[in-house]
PDB file of all heavy atoms in Angstrom:
ATOM      1  N   GLU A  83     137.931  84.367 178.082  1.00 95.00           N
ATOM      2  CA  GLU A  83     137.921  83.309 177.063  1.00 95.00           C
ATOM      3  C   GLU A  83     139.118  83.437 176.128  1.00 95.00           C
ATOM      4  O   GLU A  83     139.729  82.440 175.740  1.00 95.00           O
ATOM      5  CB  GLU A  83     136.617  83.363 176.277  1.00 95.00           C
ATOM      6  CG  GLU A  83     135.396  82.943 177.084  1.00 95.00           C
ATOM      7  CD  GLU A  83     134.095  83.237 176.369  1.00 95.00           C
ATOM      8  OE1 GLU A  83     134.059  84.140 175.501  1.00 95.00           O
ATOM      9  OE2 GLU A  83     133.091  82.572 176.695  1.00 95.00           O
ATOM     10  N   ALA A  84     139.456  84.686 175.747  1.00 95.00           N
ATOM     11  CA  ALA A  84     140.607  84.901 174.867  1.00 95.00           C
ATOM     12  C   ALA A  84     141.891  84.482 175.554  1.00 95.00           C
ATOM     13  O   ALA A  84     142.783  83.879 174.933  1.00 95.00           O
ATOM     14  CB  ALA A  84     140.686  86.370 174.458  1.00 95.00           C
ATOM     15  N   ARG A  85     142.013  84.793 176.849  1.00 96.00           N
ATOM     16  CA  ARG A  85     143.201  84.411 177.608  1.00 96.00           C
ATOM     17  C   ARG A  85     143.322  82.892 177.700  1.00 96.00           C
ATOM     18  O   ARG A  85     144.393  82.324 177.465  1.00 96.00           O
ATOM     19  CB  ARG A  85     143.148  85.007 179.014  1.00 96.00           C
ATOM     20  CG  ARG A  85     144.337  84.605 179.890  1.00 96.00           C
ATOM     21  CD  ARG A  85     144.295  85.325 181.237  1.00 96.00           C
ATOM     22  NE  ARG A  85     143.009  85.147 181.885  1.00 96.00           N
ATOM     23  CZ  ARG A  85     142.320  86.135 182.459  1.00 96.00           C
ATOM     24  NH1 ARG A  85     142.785  87.365 182.452  1.00 96.00           N
ATOM     25  NH2 ARG A  85     141.170  85.884 183.037  1.00 96.00           N
ATOM     26  N   THR A  86     142.198  82.224 178.018  1.00 96.00           N
ATOM     27  CA  THR A  86     142.206  80.764 178.141  1.00 96.00           C
ATOM     28  C   THR A  86     142.562  80.107 176.816  1.00 96.00           C
ATOM     29  O   THR A  86     143.359  79.155 176.769  1.00 96.00           O
ATOM     30  CB  THR A  86     140.832  80.266 178.620  1.00 96.00           C
ATOM     31  OG1 THR A  86     140.562  80.814 179.917  1.00 96.00           O
ATOM     32  CG2 THR A  86     140.794  78.749 178.688  1.00 96.00           C
ATOM     33  N   GLU A  87     141.990  80.610 175.725  1.00 96.00           N
ATOM     34  CA  GLU A  87     142.287  80.059 174.402  1.00 96.00           C
ATOM     35  C   GLU A  87     143.764  80.210 174.067  1.00 96.00           C
ATOM     36  O   GLU A  87     144.430  79.246 173.670  1.00 96.00           O
ATOM     37  CB  GLU A  87     141.455  80.766 173.334  1.00 96.00           C
ATOM     38  CG  GLU A  87     141.795  80.284 171.915  1.00 96.00           C
ATOM     39  CD  GLU A  87     141.268  81.202 170.835  1.00 96.00           C
ATOM     40  OE1 GLU A  87     141.462  82.431 170.921  1.00 96.00           O
ATOM     41  OE2 GLU A  87     140.660  80.691 169.880  1.00 96.00           O
ATOM     42  N   PHE A  88     144.297  81.425 174.253  1.00 97.00           N
ATOM     43  CA  PHE A  88     145.674  81.697 173.846  1.00 97.00           C
ATOM     44  C   PHE A  88     146.683  80.874 174.625  1.00 97.00           C
ATOM     45  O   PHE A  88     147.548  80.204 174.044  1.00 97.00           O
ATOM     46  CB  PHE A  88     145.975  83.193 174.011  1.00 97.00           C
ATOM     47  CG  PHE A  88     147.407  83.547 173.766  1.00 97.00           C
ATOM     48  CD1 PHE A  88     147.975  83.362 172.516  1.00 97.00           C
ATOM     49  CD2 PHE A  88     148.199  84.055 174.784  1.00 97.00           C
ATOM     50  CE1 PHE A  88     149.308  83.678 172.280  1.00 97.00           C
ATOM     51  CE2 PHE A  88     149.520  84.374 174.562  1.00 97.00           C
ATOM     52  CZ  PHE A  88     150.079  84.192 173.310  1.00 97.00           C
ATOM     53  N   PHE A  89     146.586  80.901 175.953  1.00 97.00           N
ATOM     54  CA  PHE A  89     147.554  80.147 176.745  1.00 97.00           C
ATOM     55  C   PHE A  89     147.381  78.641 176.540  1.00 97.00           C
ATOM     56  O   PHE A  89     148.344  77.878 176.634  1.00 97.00           O
ATOM     57  CB  PHE A  89     147.451  80.523 178.222  1.00 97.00           C
ATOM     58  CG  PHE A  89     147.903  81.931 178.506  1.00 97.00           C
ATOM     59  CD1 PHE A  89     147.144  82.783 179.288  1.00 97.00           C
ATOM     60  CD2 PHE A  89     149.084  82.414 177.972  1.00 97.00           C
ATOM     61  CE1 PHE A  89     147.554  84.090 179.545  1.00 97.00           C
ATOM     62  CE2 PHE A  89     149.512  83.711 178.217  1.00 97.00           C
ATOM     63  CZ  PHE A  89     148.747  84.550 179.011  1.00 97.00           C
ATOM     64  N   GLY A  90     146.159  78.206 176.234  1.00 97.00           N
ATOM     65  CA  GLY A  90     145.942  76.799 175.909  1.00 97.00           C
ATOM     66  C   GLY A  90     146.642  76.411 174.620  1.00 97.00           C
ATOM     67  O   GLY A  90     147.212  75.307 174.515  1.00 97.00           O
ATOM     68  N   LEU A  91     146.629  77.325 173.628  1.00 97.00           N
ATOM     69  CA  LEU A  91     147.333  77.064 172.371  1.00 97.00           C
ATOM     70  C   LEU A  91     148.840  76.973 172.600  1.00 97.00           C
ATOM     71  O   LEU A  91     149.517  76.096 172.051  1.00 97.00           O
ATOM     72  CB  LEU A  91     147.015  78.176 171.359  1.00 97.00           C
ATOM     73  CG  LEU A  91     145.589  78.197 170.812  1.00 97.00           C
ATOM     74  CD1 LEU A  91     145.325  79.506 170.074  1.00 97.00           C
ATOM     75  CD2 LEU A  91     145.332  77.016 169.892  1.00 97.00           C
ATOM     76  N   LEU A  92     149.376  77.865 173.435  1.00 97.00           N
ATOM     77  CA  LEU A  92     150.802  77.795 173.751  1.00 97.00           C
ATOM     78  C   LEU A  92     151.135  76.482 174.453  1.00 97.00           C
ATOM     79  O   LEU A  92     152.170  75.868 174.176  1.00 97.00           O
ATOM     80  CB  LEU A  92     151.219  78.971 174.635  1.00 97.00           C
ATOM     81  CG  LEU A  92     151.144  80.381 174.052  1.00 97.00           C
ATOM     82  CD1 LEU A  92     151.816  81.374 174.997  1.00 97.00           C
ATOM     83  CD2 LEU A  92     151.761  80.463 172.674  1.00 97.00           C
ATOM     84  N   ASP A  93     150.249  76.038 175.353  1.00 97.00           N
ATOM     85  CA  ASP A  93     150.462  74.768 176.055  1.00 97.00           C
ATOM     86  C   ASP A  93     150.555  73.610 175.059  1.00 97.00           C
ATOM     87  O   ASP A  93     151.413  72.727 175.177  1.00 97.00           O
ATOM     88  CB  ASP A  93     149.319  74.495 177.030  1.00 97.00           C
ATOM     89  CG  ASP A  93     149.342  75.410 178.250  1.00 97.00           C
ATOM     90  OD1 ASP A  93     150.398  75.995 178.538  1.00 97.00           O
ATOM     91  OD2 ASP A  93     148.290  75.523 178.906  1.00 97.00           O
ATOM     92  N   GLU A  94     149.630  73.612 174.081  1.00 97.00           N
ATOM     93  CA  GLU A  94     149.594  72.517 173.109  1.00 97.00           C
ATOM     94  C   GLU A  94     150.860  72.486 172.262  1.00 97.00           C
ATOM     95  O   GLU A  94     151.422  71.413 171.996  1.00 97.00           O
ATOM     96  CB  GLU A  94     148.362  72.651 172.218  1.00 97.00           C
ATOM     97  CG  GLU A  94     147.045  72.356 172.921  1.00 97.00           C
ATOM     98  CD  GLU A  94     145.880  72.319 171.956  1.00 97.00           C
ATOM     99  OE1 GLU A  94     145.802  71.381 171.133  1.00 97.00           O
ATOM    100  OE2 GLU A  94     145.049  73.245 171.998  1.00 97.00           O
ATOM    101  N   ILE A  95     151.326  73.663 171.822  1.00 97.00           N
ATOM    102  CA  ILE A  95     152.535  73.710 171.003  1.00 97.00           C
ATOM    103  C   ILE A  95     153.756  73.318 171.831  1.00 97.00           C
ATOM    104  O   ILE A  95     154.614  72.548 171.377  1.00 97.00           O
ATOM    105  CB  ILE A  95     152.718  75.122 170.401  1.00 97.00           C
ATOM    106  CG1 ILE A  95     151.563  75.433 169.438  1.00 97.00           C
ATOM    107  CG2 ILE A  95     154.049  75.218 169.674  1.00 97.00           C
ATOM    108  CD1 ILE A  95     151.561  76.854 168.928  1.00 97.00           C
ATOM    109  N   GLN A  96     153.827  73.817 173.050  1.00 96.00           N
ATOM    110  CA  GLN A  96     154.952  73.495 173.926  1.00 96.00           C
ATOM    111  C   GLN A  96     155.060  71.989 174.155  1.00 96.00           C
ATOM    112  O   GLN A  96     156.164  71.435 174.206  1.00 96.00           O
ATOM    113  CB  GLN A  96     154.761  74.228 175.255  1.00 96.00           C
ATOM    114  CG  GLN A  96     155.831  73.974 176.286  1.00 96.00           C
ATOM    115  CD  GLN A  96     155.552  74.711 177.590  1.00 96.00           C
ATOM    116  OE1 GLN A  96     155.044  75.817 177.593  1.00 96.00           O
ATOM    117  NE2 GLN A  96     155.875  74.080 178.704  1.00 96.00           N
ATOM    118  N   ALA A  97     153.913  71.327 174.263  1.00 96.00           N
ATOM    119  CA  ALA A  97     153.902  69.882 174.517  1.00 96.00           C
ATOM    120  C   ALA A  97     154.438  69.079 173.332  1.00 96.00           C
ATOM    121  O   ALA A  97     154.747  67.896 173.476  1.00 96.00           O
ATOM    122  CB  ALA A  97     152.484  69.428 174.859  1.00 96.00           C
TER     123      ALA A  97
END
Side-chain angles (χ1 to χ4, degrees):
E83 290 170 336
R85 178 175 52 226
T86 298
E87 176 195 48
F88 174 64
F89 292 133
L91 290 168
L92 295 189
D93 288 341
E94 289 188 69
I95 296 173
Q96 179 181 324

